[in-house]
Amino acid sequence: MKYKLLIVSLLLLGGSVMVSAQTEAPPPDSTAAVIDSSLFPAPVSLLEAFDTDNDHGHAVTLEWETSADDGVGMNSVIRYEVYRWVPSLLDTLAALNSNISEIRGRLLRDEDLPDDESVLASLREQFDMVLDGLEAAHAAYPENGEWRKIGASPSGETGYSNTGSKERGNSEFLPDFCDLYYRVDAVTADTDIRTASVIVGPVQSSGQWINSGRYPVLWAVLIFGFLTIWFVRRARKGAELYVRPLAGIEAVDDAIGRATEMGRPILYVLGLGSAADVATIASFTILGRVAKRVAEYQTQLLVPTYDPIVMSVAQEVVKSAYFDAGRADAYQDDIVHFVTQSQFAYVAAVNGIMLRELPATNVYMGKFFAESLLLAETGALAGSIQISGTDEIAQIPFFIVACDYTLIGEELYAASAYLGREPVLLGSLKAQDYAKAAVIVLGTIGIIAANLDWTAFTSLFRVAN
Amino acid sequence: MTVHNSLILPLVTFHDVGMVVSLLAIAAGLIWLFIRSLKGMEVDRRIIFLFIFAAVAAPLLFPFTFSEKATPVVKALFNKVESLPPGSHVLLSYDFDPAMAPEVQPMANAFTRHCLEKGHKVIYMCLFATGQGQFEETMRDVIAPEFPDKVDGVDYVNLGYKAGNEGVLNVIVTDFEKMFPTDVNTVPYDSIEVFKGIKSCKDLDLIISIGGGRPGIKEWVLFVGDQADVPIATGVAAVVAPQLYPYYPKQLLGLLGGIKGAAEYESELVRNYPRFKDSPTPGLKMMGPQTLAHMVIMSFIVIGNIIFFTQRRRERKS
Amino acid sequence: MKKASWVIMALVTVVFVVSWIAKSSSYNGETDNYIAQGFLVTFAAFLTLSIMSFLYKDNPFYKFAEHLFVGISAAFWMCMGFWSTIVGNLIPRLSSSLSEWFKVPYIESDYNIAFYVPVVLGILLLMRLSSKRGWLSRWPLAFIVGTTAGLNFIRYLRSDFIKQISATLVPLVVDWQGVGHFFSTFSLSASGQFVAIVTNWVVFLGVFCGLIYFFFSKEHTGAFGRASRVGIWVLMITFGASFGYTVMGRISLLVGRITFLFKDWLEIIG
């Protein structure tokens, strides 16, 4: 250890002279004698190497001040080449690895090569032995290794990031928690004319548990999570949380009245979502409300479903709505029935119901895909009043043109919270409202900041990759 | 319309006559429709379908093309491919199926032409199982006939399909080989020339996802673009294009929306590389039917609105 | 069946057979299996026309094509799922003998005991088929829902929330060098200063009014109501643009099909 430290400090003191003697890239002695020493550019200065921040490890960042001959002075530097001290064991590893993959390829192509299999086994053994010695080899600096070019930065640049592989078998393996040594050469157009920097090291790379560049996401998660829990608790305690009335929901009551007057049924479509989709869950609440009114008015209700689980949940919802309305006797199990799990076959079946039963009102609430226009258009042709709501943005335009009322995106959730007064729904709706308010406020400040070039504020929203 | 200067040739060709006749027929039909509905008569919806069919079929039988000028969103992507030095690694992900192909296959073919012509190394993969078949179309229509000297594994490589949707992206953003130990022809990753110096998506110079469904460009942005800091661009079916504009230009480098985007890219390609003058340009060819069909639809909207307002006025008077 | 139905059926059969013969003879010499090739193209054209016939009215040809499509796609996805997920992703990492059996290269270096976890979860998911043990399938489902929610929550928050907010923070006065400069270099070109300023204002107002429209905790009256009106206008314009794009997309698909009919089947265009 002492010996190692001595060598390092000697090297640091010795600077570029020592380095050029040690490396293979700078000119051999014979040419060095020929080249005028005044042609060599000044080396980079203040070279620093440190572990790359906010990463998974296996990476080191280098920073330096440009050479006195880059852009100014002789202006001869065209690029900076970055060298790292690499133990020769890595080469052995790479050779073994390529041997192994070659034999494996041969075995894949041709099955009868018993010899190769035994060679493969012994190669594997050697490979594993080398792997085990890798960390120790890195600690053996400066013996059994060489300076190897790992990359370059164009002139004018003052940094380089050396990202290695985390796979130990890889030839670009860069171990964590091992001493690494770097140097940077200032290179001129004639690549023989170059000057090496002092050697920096030892430096160790390591991974970080927390990526501080992503703090904005963490804050957003915490604030939003807190708001949600806070409002859900308030709703549970029975606090009065205001939700504005929505036109589409008011229309549902009128439409049920109309159906009763006309003596025609009401068709309720839950969409193609599964019972776990938020839109479908919201739709259940609205279905409960519709079913209750239908039971009170003694109108007929039709609920064809696409998903068996959605069907069983919907049956429960309708049943309890009929009970609430005091019309349990009017409830029948086939109000909610299963059709099929094939998208367009389902559409065909529902379209058939629309044309045969001629419902006075069609309600589409939930998740819809390409079938949205097919359903809504047939309903419009049949002359029904149509009310729709979905959070599938791509389908909203179709509903808007073909339906009388449409709940756009979040309005569907709001409608369900408005009708159901369920604490979880109501609480999260409130939390979302406050998040939106925060966006409006922060956004307005941000825009002012952007106009005034006040980057401190706008950088709050910068998230690292 | 082409006008021949030579006196020996007839001044108008069969194509010109056909085109004019069909345009007149469609125009006359629209006027008939207008008069009919003005009189308060119902128009059968099948007649509307017939009009659309005629508007699409006529320009296919008697082709006419327009010169397209690339909009900034398309130009940005074209310039990016253009400015990358030869030998750069470009990944083309075929995230579509035959149902989307008429819209996006022309884009995929144009990207392939451009990248191979510039000497980029192209990596093909797909997140849709059926994307594999669509790549074979590119192979058959573009690579085999137009770039016979390009070698599989050296100039381009096809990784094929892997199940897992965004899970695939989550892995290749840090390690290609883990997800694709071999290419589609079971050549091991290590021995593929294209992958020299490529460990993960982070080492690529450009990623282009071609598609319009899920998984698609949205997943590429979420799982790769924003994660690995690689420039990402896309060519998508028209239906999803409006939803992607918010990502441009910060999270998406460029965007080709529907067949119009494909046509713009093709015209830009032909303008910069005269060698592709005779290559098929399905995107540009489709703009004829598009234009005529859009004009017919717009006429329907205008006619519908006029009828609506005149009828309302009539009802108010009575 | 009515007499007319028989006539139509016979007519379609005749056209089909004639087309098959004609296509096969046109492929003769180009490929070895020209009869199969002729059949494929004819059948594809038949299916295309069958589906399109729905525009006239619902009919048996349409129903046939639709059911064929549903059945084939279900089978295709099932096979695809097995071969690409289980055989493609799992088996090469699990067992060398199974890999050999399925003729896929075994990935020795990737062997990890953790790969048995998805196997177990997958089997639990299949328990849904049993009425008694069906509840077991909820565990893998919970795993799927939980991990996807966790993965997506962070990613969406970053890409769709914070990065989008950051993209909205645009200067409302771009490259402002004074009123005189603004008027002297006034241009309507897409890259000009005027257009840049207008674009940024539209982004700013659109985002904020749109957010206000989706604000449910306050009655939309007064200034708030007016902003909300602007918000709904912005939304409607967006939906209009989306609708226009959809029309373009659908027509492209129609062009694709008609090109197939004209070029590959009828060969009347080049």
Side-chain angles (χ1 to χ4, degrees):
Chain A
M1 193 65 193
K2 246 185 184 173
Y3 170 73
K4 201 173 96 184
L5 276 176
L6 190 72
I7 294 275
V8 172
S9 43
L10 262 178
L11 280 171
L12 286 172
L13 281 171
S16 58
V17 188
M18 275 282 282
V19 173
S20 43
Q22 198 188 33
T23 55
E24 91 296 351
D29 290 347
S30 56
T31 48
V34 179
I35 297 169
D36 180 3
S37 67
S38 68
L39 287 176
F40 286 99
V44 301
S45 52
L46 300 174
L47 178 62
E48 268 186 284
F50 49 86
D51 173 40
T52 307
D53 217 7
N54 296 326
D55 67 347
H56 303 286
H58 309 283
V60 170
T61 304
L62 294 148
E63 276 179 16
W64 59 80
E65 298 264 292
T66 54
S67 154
D69 295 314
D70 176 2
V72 288
M74 287 194 289
N75 195 10
S76 57
V77 176
I78 58 158
R79 66 169 179 273
Y80 299 105
E81 291 183 353
V82 181
Y83 284 78
R84 181 159 69 86
W85 185 83
V86 178
S88 45
L89 215 54
L90 262 181
D91 291 337
T92 322
L93 198 70
L96 283 170
N97 207 3
S98 78
N99 274 343
I100 291 173
S101 59
E102 193 211 317
I103 292 178
R104 196 183 289 149
R106 284 220 312 259
L107 283 172
L108 267 180
R109 284 192 296 273
D110 198 345
E111 281 158 22
D112 309 321
L113 279 172
D115 279 359
D116 274 359
E117 271 188 56
S118 63
V119 175
L120 187 67
S122 92
L123 279 177
R124 273 228 70 99
E125 207 170 293
Q126 287 176 44
F127 185 80
D128 289 342
M129 267 172 62
V130 175
L131 269 190
D132 292 338
L134 260 188
E135 267 82 6
H138 270 91
Y141 173 81
E143 280 155 20
N144 295 326
E146 59 171 15
W147 287 96
R148 190 167 298 162
K149 183 182 156 192
I150 48 162
S153 286
S155 60
E157 290 279 312
T158 59
Y160 180 83
S161 176
N162 173 211
T163 310
S165 167
K166 65 174 178 179
E167 305 289 333
R168 295 171 84 219
N170 195 301
S171 59
E172 286 168 48
F173 174 61
L174 193 102
D176 273 352
F177 307 110
C178 269
D179 289 351
L180 304 167
Y181 299 87
Y182 288 90
R183 64 158 228 260
V184 176
D185 286 9
V187 184
T188 61
D190 178 354
T191 49
D192 284 341
I193 303 177
R194 57 169 69 210
T195 310
S197 68
V198 292
I199 291 166
V200 286
V203 56
Q204 293 194 339
S205 75
S206 63
Q208 281 73 43
W209 282 89
I210 290 178
N211 183 344
S212 61
R214 291 186 192 163
Y215 275 140
V217 182
L218 179 68
W219 298 138
V221 170
L222 289 179
I223 294 170
F224 190 65
F226 169 77
L227 281 176
T228 311
I229 294 169
W230 165 257
F231 279 110
V232 170
R233 280 176 64 101
R234 277 197 61 192
R236 284 226 172 101
K237 281 183 187 157
E240 200 48 55
L241 299 177
Y242 175 78
V243 176
R244 76 174 158 90
L246 297 156
I249 284 304
E250 311 275 295
V252 171
D253 284 348
D254 299 342
I256 296 170
R258 178 174 176 261
T260 316
E261 281 167 22
M262 293 168 80
R264 290 215 227 134
I266 288 167
L267 178 72
Y268 194 101
V269 182
L270 283 147
L272 262 52
S274 72
D277 281 317
V278 190
T280 316
I281 296 171
S283 184
F284 286 140
T285 322
I286 301 170
L287 172 65
R289 159 81 162 222
V290 171
K292 198 174 165 196
R293 279 293 146 86
V294 164
E296 282 164 3
Y297 292 169
Q298 300 186 32
T299 316
Q300 197 195 344
L301 178 67
L302 300 167
V303 188
T305 56
Y306 169 84
D307 184 298
I309 301 174
V310 168
M311 181 194 74
S312 32
V313 178
Q315 272 175 343
E316 289 304 313
V317 168
V318 174
K319 200 186 219 168
S320 62
Y322 271 69
F323 268 104
D324 288 350
R327 302 274 316 160
D329 53 311
Y331 174 76
Q332 287 162 328
D333 254 345
D334 61 355
I335 290 177
V336 183
H337 59 275
F338 176 71
V339 179
T340 167
Q341 275 214 285
S342 160
Q343 184 183 17
F344 288 102
Y346 177 74
V347 174
V350 176
N351 282 355
I353 295 176
M354 283 178 194
L355 297 176
R356 267 179 274 117
E357 310 273 341
L358 292 174
T361 306
N362 300 331
V363 186
Y364 314 100
M365 298 275 174
K367 261 215 162 351
F368 289 87
F369 300 96
E371 73 282 359
S372 62
L373 188 57
L374 295 175
L375 289 173
E377 204 197 343
T378 314
L381 276 179
S384 316
I385 289 233
Q386 304 204 91
I387 301 162
S388 58
T390 185
D391 58 356
E392 277 295 314
I393 303 168
Q395 307 306 329
I396 294 172
F398 304 118
F399 276 144
I400 287 181
V401 291
C403 295
D404 301 276
Y405 293 95
T406 303
L407 296 173
I408 302 166
E410 252 192 318
E411 283 186 319
L412 176 62
Y413 313 148
S416 120
Y418 174 74
L419 293 176
R421 313 302 294 185
E422 180 80 24
V424 175
L425 288 176
L426 211 53
S428 32
L429 186 75
K430 277 280 160 185
Q432 284 178 43
D433 263 7
Y434 275 77
K436 279 173 229 157
V439 170
I440 294 178
V441 172
L442 291 174
T444 315
I445 301 174
I447 287 200
I448 296 169
N451 277 299
L452 300 175
D453 277 337
W454 184 32
T455 48
F457 186 82
T458 45
S459 64
L460 284 180
F461 297 96
R462 203 158 295 142
V463 186
N465 289 308
Chain B
M1 218 190 290
T2 44
V3 177
H4 300 276
N5 291 328
S6 162
L7 286 171
I8 304 160
L9 282 171
L11 274 170
V12 277
T13 62
F14 167 69
H15 269 177
D16 298 335
V17 175
M19 198 180 78
V20 170
V21 168
S22 49
L23 282 181
L24 285 177
I26 291 172
L30 283 173
I31 294 170
W32 168 79
L33 200 80
F34 181 58
I35 295 169
R36 218 178 125 80
S37 41
L38 210 57
K39 283 182 189 157
M41 286 199 257
E42 279 279 317
V43 176
D44 196 295
R45 41 204 269 119
R46 282 170 275 203
I47 292 175
I48 293 180
F49 298 145
L50 204 67
F51 267 100
I52 299 290
F53 179 81
V56 169
L60 281 177
L61 292 172
F62 316 109
F64 59 95
T65 48
F66 301 91
S67 68
E68 289 289 332
K69 197 171 173 295
T71 43
V73 271
V74 175
K75 189 93 184 165
L77 175 53
F78 185 88
N79 288 348
K80 177 74 190 178
V81 177
E82 196 66 22
S83 65
L84 287 173
S88 301
H89 289 83
V90 180
L91 185 138
L92 291 185
S93 186
Y94 278 48
D95 309 332
F96 60 98
D97 55 8
M100 276 183 257
E103 275 191 275
V104 294
Q105 185 81 42
M107 301 177 191
N109 291 354
F111 292 144
T112 298
R113 267 191 200 107
H114 195 188
C115 291
L116 289 181
E117 178 69 20
K118 280 294 291 181
H120 299 325
K121 302 214 177 291
V122 189
I123 300 159
Y124 294 94
M125 60 172 277
C126 34
L127 294 177
F128 268 58
T130 38
Q132 181 55 31
Q134 301 307 127
F135 168 72
E136 274 153 25
E137 294 215 347
T138 301
M139 189 73 211
R140 193 192 62 209
D141 298 341
V142 181
I143 303 179
E146 293 178 30
F147 299 93
D149 51 331
K150 297 282 178 188
V151 183
D152 188 357
V154 178
D155 301 298
Y156 62 91
V157 65
N158 177 22
L159 295 175
Y161 165 73
K162 268 283 155 157
N165 299 345
E166 51 265 52
V168 175
L169 302 183
N170 218 5
V171 174
I172 61 170
V173 74
T174 51
D175 194 346
F176 257 119
E177 197 180 353
K178 207 172 205 167
M179 206 70 225
F180 296 101
T182 66
D183 75 352
V184 81
N185 307 317
T186 65
V187 180
Y189 185 89
D190 295 336
S191 39
I192 300 170
E193 178 90 15
V194 174
F195 283 116
K196 250 191 196 141
I198 300 290
K199 270 185 306 219
S200 67
C201 284
K202 290 176 184 161
D203 303 315
L204 299 174
D205 300 293
L206 177 64
I207 293 172
I208 305 176
S209 159
I210 308 145
R214 215 201 78 90
I217 182 60
K218 181 113 189 205
E219 280 68 32
W220 276 103
V221 171
L222 289 181
F223 286 83
V224 179
D226 287 354
Q227 185 98 344
D229 222 3
V230 191
I232 287 207
T234 186
V236 286
V239 184
V240 290
Q243 291 164 49
L244 291 171
Y245 269 90
Y247 294 101
Y248 171 82
K250 283 196 178 165
Q251 287 154 286
L252 268 183
L253 175 102
L255 170 71
L256 270 63
I259 204 65
K260 171 97 169 85
E264 287 174 17
Y265 203 93
E266 280 173 357
S267 72
E268 200 68 11
L269 197 61
V270 171
R271 193 171 305 143
N272 284 274
Y273 297 93
R275 113 160 228 222
F276 295 126
K277 215 162 206 153
D278 299 323
S279 301
T281 49
L284 280 171
K285 265 195 196 128
M286 261 196 215
M287 286 319 283
Q290 282 285 355
T291 312
L292 202 53
H294 278 82
M295 275 158 66
V296 168
I297 291 171
M298 282 193 283
S299 319
F300 285 150
I301 295 174
V302 172
I303 293 173
N305 275 290
I306 293 176
I307 305 300
F308 175 76
F309 284 110
T310 45
Q311 272 179 356
R312 196 164 70 171
R313 189 188 275 176
R314 237 180 258 162
E315 273 165 28
R316 270 193 199 150
K317 266 185 195 164
S318 60
Chain C
M1 265 203 294
K2 275 186 280 180
K3 198 177 164 192
S5 312
W6 282 110
V7 172
I8 292 173
M9 204 71 102
L11 208 66
V12 170
T13 316
V14 168
V15 171
F16 190 95
V17 172
V18 168
S19 152
W20 186 0
I21 296 168
K23 284 312 292 182
S24 299
S25 58
S26 83
Y27 284 121
N28 194 356
E30 279 179 39
T31 54
D32 291 337
N33 46 359
Y34 56 94
I35 295 180
Q37 192 65 25
F39 175 78
L40 283 180
V41 172
T42 307
F43 194 53
F46 165 72
L47 290 178
T48 303
L49 290 173
S50 298
I51 294 281
M52 281 182 174
S53 70
F54 183 69
L55 292 176
Y56 183 72
K57 74 181 209 205
D58 199 3
N59 61 71
F61 292 110
Y62 168 75
K63 280 193 182 126
F64 169 72
E66 194 198 341
H67 288 113
L68 189 73
F69 176 58
V70 168
I72 285 182
S73 56
F76 174 80
W77 285 111
M78 192 173 159
C79 293
M80 208 62 219
F82 178 75
W83 284 99
S84 59
T85 312
I86 295 180
V87 177
N89 285 351
L90 184 67
I91 284 177
R93 292 179 171 84
L94 224 53
S95 135
S96 60
S97 52
L98 269 178
S99 308
E100 211 169 292
W101 167 264
F102 282 109
K103 301 241 183 314
V104 282
Y106 175 54
I107 311 168
E108 200 179 352
S109 56
D110 261 11
Y111 180 81
N112 193 333
I113 196 87
F115 285 118
Y116 282 100
V117 176
V119 175
V120 173
L121 288 178
I123 293 169
L124 284 182
L125 202 56
L126 284 178
M127 286 294 171
R128 208 171 168 174
L129 299 173
S130 143
S131 54
K132 268 187 187 168
R133 306 265 175 277
W135 58 273
L136 278 171
S137 71
R138 286 186 202 161
W139 285 96
L141 263 183
F143 179 81
I144 294 169
V145 172
T147 42
T148 338
L151 266 176
N152 283 345
F153 183 54
I154 301 299
R155 293 226 152 78
Y156 274 84
L157 207 58
R158 188 173 72 197
S159 296
D160 278 10
F161 189 73
I162 295 176
K163 282 210 168 187
Q164 290 287 319
I165 295 178
S166 145
T168 316
L169 305 183
V170 285
L172 295 178
V173 194
V174 186
D175 297 333
W176 191 254
Q177 291 164 342
V179 181
H181 175 83
F182 178 76
F183 283 108
S184 62
T185 58
F186 186 82
S187 122
L188 284 176
S189 83
S191 53
Q193 188 193 17
F194 174 71
V195 175
I197 290 177
V198 171
T199 310
N200 287 358
W201 271 97
V202 170
V203 169
F204 167 65
L205 291 177
V207 168
F208 291 113
C209 295
L211 276 173
I212 285 172
Y213 176 77
F214 286 112
F215 200 78
F216 301 107
S217 298
K218 197 179 177 317
E219 194 104 38
H220 286 181
T221 47
F224 204 70
R226 277 193 290 277
S228 149
R229 293 291 304 167
V230 176
I232 193 73
W233 270 93
V234 172
L235 284 175
M236 288 302 160
I237 292 169
T238 318
F239 293 144
S242 175
F243 206 83
Y245 261 110
T246 307
V247 169
M248 178 167 98
R250 297 294 184 255
I251 289 179
S252 302
L253 299 185
L254 179 63
V255 175
R257 278 298 85 194
I258 294 181
T259 310
F260 166 76
L261 290 178
F262 284 1
K263 194 174 160 186
D264 297 317
W265 186 47
L266 296 176
E267 295 179 28
I268 51 176
I269 57 172

